[in-house]
Amino acid sequence: MKNSMLRWAFLLMAASPLTLVAQTPEPATTEPTPKGGLFGGSRQFRTVSIGVNGGVLIPAVATGGSNDFTKWQLNYGYGAYVKWQLLHFLALRGDFVGGKLKGDNSEALGNGENPNRAVQSFETSLNWSGSLNAVFNLATINWLHRQNAAQLYVSVGGGLAGYKPTITTAGGVTRDYKTSGSINEFFVPVGAGVKFKLSDVINLDLGYTMHYLDGDNLDGFNYATSKDKYAYGYAGLEFALGDRTKPQLAWHNAPAVMYDDLVAQKDQLKLELDAEKENNAKLAATVAKLQADSDGDGVSDLFDKCPNTPAADKVDGSGCPLPKPDTTKPAPVKVIITEDDRRLVRDAIANLEFQTGKSDIKPKSFPSLDRVADLMIRKNLSLKLAGHTDNVGTEANNMRLSKDRAESVKAYLASKGVNPSRIEATGYGETQPIATNKTAAGRQKNRRVEFTIF
């Protein structure tokens, strides 16, 4: 009897090795990307499902042990369950199972003798059994394929069964084992199975569950000291509930989603990098255009109103040659720089302001600079510009900013007709502070452009 039971159990579970090979093939490039991101919580998945199944009940289990009757019989069984998938590998499942169990003493004992027992056969109606089980999916993460087609699981839990045995004595009398109603007993279910994904909604479920009762009343006969047990082998369908656009958590393959996320990020980064390269190329072309000076007079071709000026000629801010001195006339009288001239320059320094962090001169500074330009042209003066910054930012950036600001003042004065060759622009960055950089007022004083006329 034990060998027959084991053969039946092994046949029921013969499909389980398919989980090693029954995987979907590698997806084509047109296959939709699996949904369900990483670390996004269970709301992005379908976690609740229901199942119905049918199969056979036998008053024995694959683990063996003594039984009260020498021969058990296969009988129908049916069941249903509700499952809540908590994690990829763990679910809680509420099971219901019903059906019939039968057995008799028609088979000889191991020594060849016929059993001589007071009860000849039994038939038990398993009216109901309810249990709460923890279900563990095995090998939920697949590094070989994007999607699984089959999945092994094991389960264990606890529950209560209500049943009513009917026994037939050796004398042929059939009666209820308990005349006052059904028997209710606690049991521990231990099971295993294999599940196949038929679609995004339906799964095929093949399983085998052993029920270990906390009593010896299932077959209505107390022949040995061991407690009764029975097994349920079944095939059924599981239906995933919820939004069909969401994947089932039990079938979700996190490595595939992680791979798709990385590919998407890589593609996005490539697009951004290509756009930056294109912008840099445009910027380089613009800078090259601004720096072009075909005649070498110090004025960009973009602003040069007198192109092709001879290299020896001095030019004004628009690139046009300055009037050449008349050597027949006496040398000009040396111009004396007055206190009013110096006050005019100090006023230009006090009113000079730039855009924050840039070398662009604010329009409010133009009037005082215009007066400096007029003074230089009128008295043919030279000017030294020295740019300075505070210590906010890197030293290299501050050096560049101070130089750019001094050059901006030079360019503005040149645009007003001042000979650019008479202006020297130098940047000193943060190397020559005139006040502390620890206060806002001190840093304001250090951000300056100094004018020296001569």
Side-chain angles (χ1 to χ4, degrees):
M1 179 180 65
K2 184 185 298 183
N3 292 336
S4 299
M5 178 181 66
L6 290 174
R7 284 195 300 271
W8 181 88
F10 292 150
L11 286 174
L12 179 65
M13 297 302 295
S16 31
L18 293 174
T19 56
L20 301 178
V21 295
Q23 310 291 342
T24 56
E26 291 300 327
T29 55
T30 57
E31 183 181 280
T33 301
K35 298 178 181 179
L38 298 176
F39 314 117
S42 60
R43 291 187 176 182
Q44 58 186 331
F45 301 99
R46 280 180 289 171
T47 57
V48 178
S49 58
I50 59 174
V52 292
N53 50 64
V56 292
L57 285 168
I58 56 174
V61 294
T63 56
S66 60
N67 294 284
D68 296 335
F69 290 82
T70 60
K71 182 179 179 181
W72 49 261
Q73 301 175 18
L74 296 177
N75 277 275
Y76 69 90
Y78 52 89
Y81 62 81
V82 177
K83 188 180 74 172
W84 179 24
Q85 195 74 34
L86 301 176
L87 301 170
H88 288 79
F89 69 94
L90 175 64
L92 289 179
R93 190 180 68 197
D95 284 86
F96 168 84
V97 176
K100 285 186 177 294
L101 294 158
K102 289 183 179 181
D104 57 41
N105 286 320
S106 62
E107 190 172 293
L109 298 172
N111 58 7
E113 297 181 0
N114 292 326
N116 184 17
R117 299 176 184 176
V119 177
Q120 181 61 30
S121 64
F122 80 95
E123 179 178 319
T124 297
S125 295
L126 182 62
N127 298 327
W128 57 269
S129 67
S131 62
L132 181 63
N133 298 273
V135 182
F136 302 92
N137 295 332
L138 305 181
T140 56
I141 295 179
N142 192 332
W143 295 97
L144 299 178
H145 303 275
R146 294 174 63 86
Q147 297 187 39
N148 296 344
Q151 191 175 79
L152 280 172
Y153 66 87
V154 295
S155 63
V156 64
L160 192 67
Y163 56 88
K164 187 174 183 180
T166 299
I167 59 175
T168 299
T169 65
V173 178
T174 300
R175 61 179 177 83
D176 291 336
Y177 171 67
K178 182 180 179 181
T179 58
S180 58
S182 299
I183 299 172
N184 297 329
E185 281 185 332
F186 175 79
F187 68 91
V188 173
V190 178
V194 58
K195 196 168 293 183
F196 298 91
K197 184 178 181 182
L198 302 182
S199 71
D200 289 337
V201 177
I202 303 175
N203 304 318
L204 174 63
D205 189 10
L206 304 178
Y208 175 76
T209 304
M210 299 176 290
H211 303 75
Y212 297 89
L213 290 163
D214 188 25
D216 193 19
N217 301 299
L218 182 69
D219 53 16
F221 184 43
N222 297 324
Y223 177 75
T225 58
S226 63
K227 297 180 180 180
D228 287 333
K229 41 201 171 288
Y230 65 95
Y232 177 46
Y234 59 88
L237 296 177
E238 180 183 79
F239 303 90
L241 305 181
D243 188 350
R244 295 190 62 173
T245 62
K246 297 180 179 180
Q248 300 181 51
L249 178 57
W251 294 100
H252 179 250
N253 190 15
V257 175
M258 181 170 59
Y259 173 82
D260 291 333
D261 287 346
L262 291 175
V263 170
Q265 292 176 17
K266 178 182 176 182
D267 293 342
Q268 180 62 30
L269 182 61
K270 185 177 183 302
L271 290 176
E272 294 175 358
L273 184 59
D274 291 342
E276 287 300 323
K277 288 181 178 179
E278 183 178 353
N279 290 336
N280 290 341
K282 292 180 179 178
L283 181 60
T286 302
V287 171
K289 187 176 181 180
L290 288 173
Q291 292 179 338
D293 182 11
S294 302
D295 53 11
D297 59 1
V299 179
S300 171
D301 290 346
L302 191 63
F303 306 105
D304 198 340
K305 295 181 179 179
C306 299
N308 303 318
T309 302
D313 288 357
K314 294 182 179 181
V315 298
D316 57 19
S318 61
C320 293
L322 292 171
K324 295 181 180 180
D326 188 355
T327 56
T328 63
K329 294 182 180 180
V333 179
K334 182 179 180 180
V335 177
I336 298 175
I337 299 175
T338 66
E339 184 58 28
D340 289 339
D341 296 335
R342 299 186 187 279
R343 185 166 51 253
L344 184 148
V345 172
R346 288 196 297 270
D347 180 65
I349 296 174
N351 291 315
L352 181 58
E353 291 185 21
F354 297 90
Q355 299 291 341
T356 303
K358 298 180 179 180
S359 60
D360 299 331
I361 303 172
K362 290 186 176 181
K364 63 184 294 186
S365 303
F366 293 162
S368 58
L369 290 176
D370 291 343
R371 288 191 288 274
V372 173
D374 177 69
L375 173 64
M376 292 183 66
I377 295 172
R378 179 163 40 83
K379 290 192 174 184
N380 197 29
L381 298 176
S382 296
L383 176 66
K384 181 178 180 180
L385 300 171
H388 303 272
T389 68
D390 56 24
N391 66 346
V392 177
T394 65
E395 184 175 352
N397 286 342
N398 287 335
M399 184 63 71
R400 176 188 55 77
L401 181 60
S402 66
K403 174 67 174 176
D404 290 347
R405 286 181 171 178
E407 289 290 346
S408 292
V409 175
K410 176 180 178 179
Y412 181 85
L413 295 176
S415 69
K416 295 300 180 179
V418 178
N419 187 349
S421 64
R422 303 189 69 86
I423 304 175
E424 177 184 354
T426 307
Y428 294 95
E430 61 187 68
T431 61
Q432 298 182 9
I434 60 173
T436 178
N437 280 311
K438 295 183 178 180
T439 64
R443 291 191 295 271
Q444 177 66 34
K445 291 181 180 180
N446 290 332
R447 297 191 294 268
R448 68 197 189 279
V449 176
E450 297 177 345
F451 292 53
T452 304
I453 57 173
F454 55 94

